Amino acid sequence: MGSQIMPIYFLRGEGVPLAQRRGLETIDRNSLFILVQAPVEPVAQALSTLRQMNVWMRDAYEREIDIHNESTFVFQLRGHPWSIVYKPYVRSERVYLTEEDARSISETLNTSAIYYTRSDTCGTLEYHLYRNGVCVEKLFFEEEVSLQFQSQLRSLEAKNIQDAYRFTMNFIREQDAYVPNIVEVEDLKAGQRTTLRFEDLMPHEVERMDYLAQQ
């Protein structure tokens, strides 16, 4: 059986080159990412240890890979200081990325990490910023229900945040970070052989992408 196309799309707006894009690419999507202010190698090492990922293909973009269980991608876009941990949703998955993963990686690497999750379906938005394993700011928003905000970085109360989406967009930009818009059109299936490529993400735009999984 030949190599298959990976059913993952990398979407971005027109105009600003990817290397210069910052903030949230979209809020109209269910998404979960961990961003870490470190290169791919130490982030992948920390995650593989933390989550017992015994499959680790380094620098795998545009290379053929065998899909295993709990497929996870750790990548850095060219021109960006943060690495991104992305785990496509699969119905059979048992390992979910959590805020504790972000905290632990932040502590292990003595750096900053952001746990970001957005549910367009449920109308929720959440982020946690960790520095050296300590949560220094977090926001949780549920449309027409509640807005919770705590920060050690600024004296601001939730009631003073007019627009949680704009506030979060500005927060991500202030960190010089970028939350992409990645869409899976079907599940990755263990046992498939495929070329690691996200549709519309060019090789020259990727500093490095590693593939982690469990065998």
Side-chain angles (χ1 to χ4, degrees):
M1 190 171 70
S3 177
Q4 301 188 354
I5 300 295
M6 189 169 273
I8 297 176
Y9 288 77
F10 189 97
L11 307 179
R12 84 297 278 280
E14 299 285 320
V16 180
L18 185 58
Q20 295 163 25
R21 298 183 87 83
R22 297 296 186 269
L24 308 175
E25 184 61 54
T26 185
I27 57 168
D28 302 323
R29 184 77 57 199
N30 296 341
S31 57
L32 193 164
F33 297 99
I34 291 174
L35 282 64
V36 185
Q37 201 165 23
V40 167
E41 176 79 22
V43 176
Q45 178 68 68
L47 184 66
S48 67
T49 302
L50 186 63
R51 290 307 203 134
Q52 289 84 51
M53 299 278 190
N54 57 359
V55 175
W56 181 5
M57 284 207 47
R58 290 172 169 85
D59 207 7
Y61 203 66
E62 289 282 341
R63 288 171 54 194
E64 284 207 345
I65 61 169
D66 292 311
I67 299 297
H68 295 277
N69 294 317
E70 310 299 344
S71 290
T72 307
F73 303 91
V74 180
F75 64 97
Q76 186 174 13
L77 299 170
R78 192 150 287 160
H80 290 256
W82 297 74
S83 290
I84 299 172
V85 181
Y86 160 63
K87 192 171 189 300
Y89 171 75
V90 179
R91 280 179 285 273
S92 61
E93 72 183 349
R94 294 190 303 276
V95 175
Y96 298 88
L97 294 176
T98 68
E99 57 267 35
E100 175 56 26
D101 293 325
R103 190 206 66 75
S104 180
I105 293 170
S106 167
E107 182 176 52
T108 300
L109 302 183
N110 293 311
T111 190
S112 297
I114 297 169
Y115 171 82
Y116 170 87
T117 181
R118 160 71 176 150
S119 173
D120 185 44
T121 311
C122 301
T124 58
L125 174 73
E126 182 175 5
Y127 74 76
H128 298 217
L129 171 64
Y130 298 92
R131 288 189 178 159
N132 305 329
V134 176
C135 183
V136 294
E137 186 165 294
K138 64 180 177 179
L139 175 145
F140 176 80
F141 173 64
E142 188 171 0
E143 286 172 11
E144 299 178 15
V145 178
S146 70
L147 172 60
Q148 300 162 33
F149 179 75
Q150 293 173 289
S151 179
Q152 297 177 19
L153 305 177
R154 43 187 163 182
S155 53
L156 182 70
E157 295 182 37
K159 65 183 181 185
N160 297 321
I161 297 173
Q162 303 293 323
D163 182 333
Y165 296 116
R166 183 171 295 164
F167 184 85
T168 303
M169 168 72 91
N170 289 336
F171 163 77
I172 297 291
R173 278 192 183 134
E174 285 159 10
Q175 309 311 310
D176 198 24
Y178 174 66
V179 175
N181 181 14
I182 300 178
V183 181
E184 308 115 41
V185 292
E186 61 183 71
D187 286 358
L188 291 174
K189 296 180 179 65
Q192 287 180 332
R193 187 161 182 79
T194 184
T195 300
L196 174 45
R197 180 192 302 126
F198 294 177
E199 197 68 32
D200 297 326
L201 179 61
M202 302 300 118
H204 71 268
E205 296 176 315
V206 179
E207 188 66 42
R208 173 170 159 178
M209 185 180 292
D210 288 12
Y211 174 76
L212 300 177
Q214 290 180 351
Q215 204 159 17

